[in-house]
Amino acid sequence: MGKTGILILLLAAGPAVAAAPQQSVVYQGATVIDGTGAAPQSNMNIVVKGERIEAILPAARFRRLPGMRVEDASGLFALPGLIDSHVHLASPPDRRYAEAVLRRDLYSGITAVRDMAGDARALADLSRAAKLGEIDSPDIFYAALMAGPEFFADPRTAESTKGEVAGQVPWMRAVTPGTDLPRTIAEAHGTGATAIKIYADLPEVLVSRIADEAHRQHMLVWAHAAVFPASPAEVIGANVDVVSHTCLLAYQASAKMPAAYHNRAAVEEEKFAQANPAVGALFDEMKRRGTILDATLWVYDVMWKLPNAAPKPYCSLALAEKLTAQAHRAGVEISAGTDSDAPWQERYPSLFHETSLLVHAAGMTPAEALRASSLIGARTIGQEKEMGTLEAGKLANIVFTAKNPLDDIETLQSVTMTVKRGKLYRRHDYRPITKEEVQEE
């Protein structure tokens, strides 16, 4: 049959049938901890239609309409979906393992993650599949990395640019004073990246130029808290949106700022027996500017437990905890990022370790740790209008727990259901990570 015949058949068939209306789902009788700072509300109904929250109202005021599906949430606690603001899913790429980790995240209540640089080809594919629900995964927001040319001798960059040259691809770019930044950042944006990550081996002038141009092109700017030789004060002064790794801030108190990222001296921990004024001034400036601190306490814990680590970690977990607590007291907004997966045998993700450390070591209340892993996490990815709190109109990203995490942050492990973009995932359906999924393909 020719094209004309096909067209006649299509026209004869009449107009396309309209898609069936989306069914509303009601999560009935939960105690809602909405993440806005409001007091918990008991016996509430959360009405979800499609991907979004349609209404949150007392169960006594709810009138069930024909076609609504009801899920019993009585006795459960409803929280905003959790966000891990520091992961690495594709450095190096391993699709099978990444999907296994993401599955564990989602069934544990994590509905979004911020990937802090890897192979953007793999990340774009994972991000698309996650958003469309093709894989069981939180939504993924990722960075394109920029650093000085010296940094790209790092073998991790070669693993994330296989088939190309590290430092010469849009997602891992070497920057010099002669770099055409408008074009370079536009190319980075074209990879699907949400932000530019400023990593290492750049002076203050280039850090500032990168940040200014990225913001001009409506990208976020995420940076290591010290970029070497750019100091923490210079990084913060460049008006970046988020700085990562609390201990890197300690270099502000060093007698001499290390000139390069690799083989740098450890921080001078003896300078922190008392509150250090140089770091205190950083926290004041971060609060003034609204710079978010991605503390990553968990990764310091991991580094110090590595057997025969060489070189030794540049900072102790104890100092990371102390400085994070000081930042919190100073009013700096802190997100919950991990930078390291929990061992594959664990049934819950490393974000639960991070929130525990924020409470027990950094002085946060459970409510503040939940805020760090929801609303502040949403701000790190520029998504606070879509997620981070439970409110009508926002994405239906919800985690239900059997116990109240405001009483004990460890009870996050009582998660029973996760709703991501309106789709329900029951914890009892979770399939743990297998040894085979950990093996490289």
Side-chain angles (χ1 to χ4, degrees):
M1 182 183 294
K3 292 181 181 179
T4 303
I6 293 172
L7 178 60
I8 291 170
L9 285 175
L10 289 172
L11 291 172
V17 177
Q22 294 175 319
Q23 181 187 42
S24 292
V25 182
V26 183
Y27 295 89
Q28 182 170 278
T31 295
V32 172
I33 303 168
D34 65 16
T36 67
Q41 296 176 285
S42 61
N43 199 23
M44 301 292 287
N45 285 5
I46 305 173
V47 183
V48 172
K49 189 170 185 179
E51 288 193 336
R52 297 191 178 271
I53 297 172
E54 191 170 39
I56 303 174
L57 71 168
R61 288 175 43 202
F62 174 72
R63 183 169 63 90
R64 183 174 178 177
L65 299 175
M68 281 185 168
R69 190 178 98 235
V70 175
E71 293 285 345
D72 183 14
S74 56
L76 301 181
F77 297 85
L79 322 168
L82 304 175
I83 298 170
D84 188 334
S85 61
H86 199 129
V87 304
H88 289 280
L89 297 168
S91 50
D94 180 342
R95 177 65 180 253
R96 191 178 185 192
Y97 176 64
E99 286 191 21
V101 169
L102 290 165
R103 182 177 72 245
R104 177 174 65 181
D105 283 352
L106 182 62
Y107 279 93
S108 301
I110 297 174
T111 53
V113 297
R114 184 177 74 126
D115 190 284
M116 293 299 285
D119 191 330
R121 297 166 297 185
L123 290 169
D125 189 32
L126 283 168
S127 178
R128 176 193 173 278
K131 188 170 184 179
L132 297 180
E134 294 175 355
I135 59 175
D136 293 344
S137 169
D139 285 343
I140 301 164
F141 300 82
Y142 57 94
L145 182 148
M146 293 187 179
E150 301 83 0
F151 172 70
F152 292 93
D154 190 310
R156 296 173 298 175
T157 64
E159 291 175 343
S160 295
T161 56
K162 285 182 179 178
E164 304 292 342
V165 178
Q168 298 179 28
V169 293
W171 63 94
M172 286 207 170
R173 181 73 73 180
V175 176
T176 70
T179 298
D180 181 347
L181 283 178
R183 176 174 178 173
T184 298
I185 288 172
E187 290 174 346
H189 207 172
T191 68
T194 295
I196 299 298
K197 180 178 181 181
I198 301 174
Y199 200 101
D201 299 325
L202 290 168
E204 184 275 336
V205 64
L206 282 181
V207 172
S208 291
R209 285 180 56 202
I210 293 168
D212 288 346
E213 182 58 32
H215 284 148
R216 191 187 70 81
Q217 295 193 33
H218 307 292
M219 295 188 76
L220 294 169
V221 182
W222 306 332
H224 269 180
V227 174
F228 309 105
S231 69
E234 290 169 335
V235 172
I236 292 162
N239 204 33
V240 303
D241 299 291
V242 188
V243 294
S244 291
H245 307 309
T246 296
C247 266
L248 289 178
L249 294 168
Y251 281 102
Q252 191 63 36
S254 296
K256 183 179 180 181
M257 186 69 189
Y261 172 78
H262 288 102
N263 302 316
R264 63 191 182 278
V267 300
E268 299 170 33
E269 295 210 21
E270 68 277 4
K271 293 186 175 181
F272 297 92
Q274 306 293 328
N276 188 288
V279 175
L282 287 181
F283 294 146
D284 291 342
E285 185 65 7
M286 289 175 70
K287 180 183 178 182
R288 187 183 74 82
R289 290 177 178 269
T291 311
I292 296 171
L293 173 60
D294 165 33
T296 67
L297 293 179
W298 165 244
V299 79
Y300 291 108
D301 193 15
V302 170
M303 287 192 300
W304 274 91
K305 289 176 180 175
L306 288 174
N308 306 315
K312 281 199 154 192
Y314 66 93
C315 173
S316 68
L317 172 62
L319 182 56
E321 293 171 340
K322 185 175 184 178
L323 292 179
T324 303
Q326 184 181 348
H328 176 56
R329 291 193 302 271
V332 174
E333 296 285 23
I334 297 171
S335 69
T338 58
D339 195 23
S340 182
D341 297 329
W344 67 268
Q345 302 93 333
E346 292 191 14
R347 290 180 62 85
Y348 293 95
S350 55
L351 183 63
F352 288 12
H353 293 295
E354 185 71 20
T355 53
S356 181
L357 286 165
L358 289 173
V359 170
H360 300 302
M364 286 190 179
T365 65
E368 289 167 337
L370 290 173
R371 185 172 184 268
S373 58
S374 54
L375 179 57
I376 305 308
R379 289 177 181 167
T380 67
I381 54 178
Q383 294 293 308
E384 64 268 34
K385 292 182 179 178
E386 291 281 76
M387 59 184 73
T389 57
L390 299 182
E391 299 179 76
K394 285 194 171 184
L395 288 171
N397 290 350
I398 314 166
V399 54
F400 292 90
T401 59
K403 298 179 181 179
N404 187 353
L406 296 181
D407 295 334
D408 181 357
I409 196 66
E410 309 303 330
T411 63
L412 279 176
Q413 292 194 17
S414 69
V415 58
T416 64
M417 299 187 292
T418 302
V419 178
K420 182 219 155 182
R421 289 184 175 267
K423 184 177 179 180
L424 173 61
Y425 300 84
R426 300 181 192 277
R427 177 68 192 186
H428 62 61
D429 292 330
Y430 170 58
R431 178 171 58 85
I433 300 174
T434 65
K435 188 174 182 180
E436 290 71 28
E437 288 173 314
V438 177
Q439 304 303 317
E440 291 187 3
E441 294 184 64

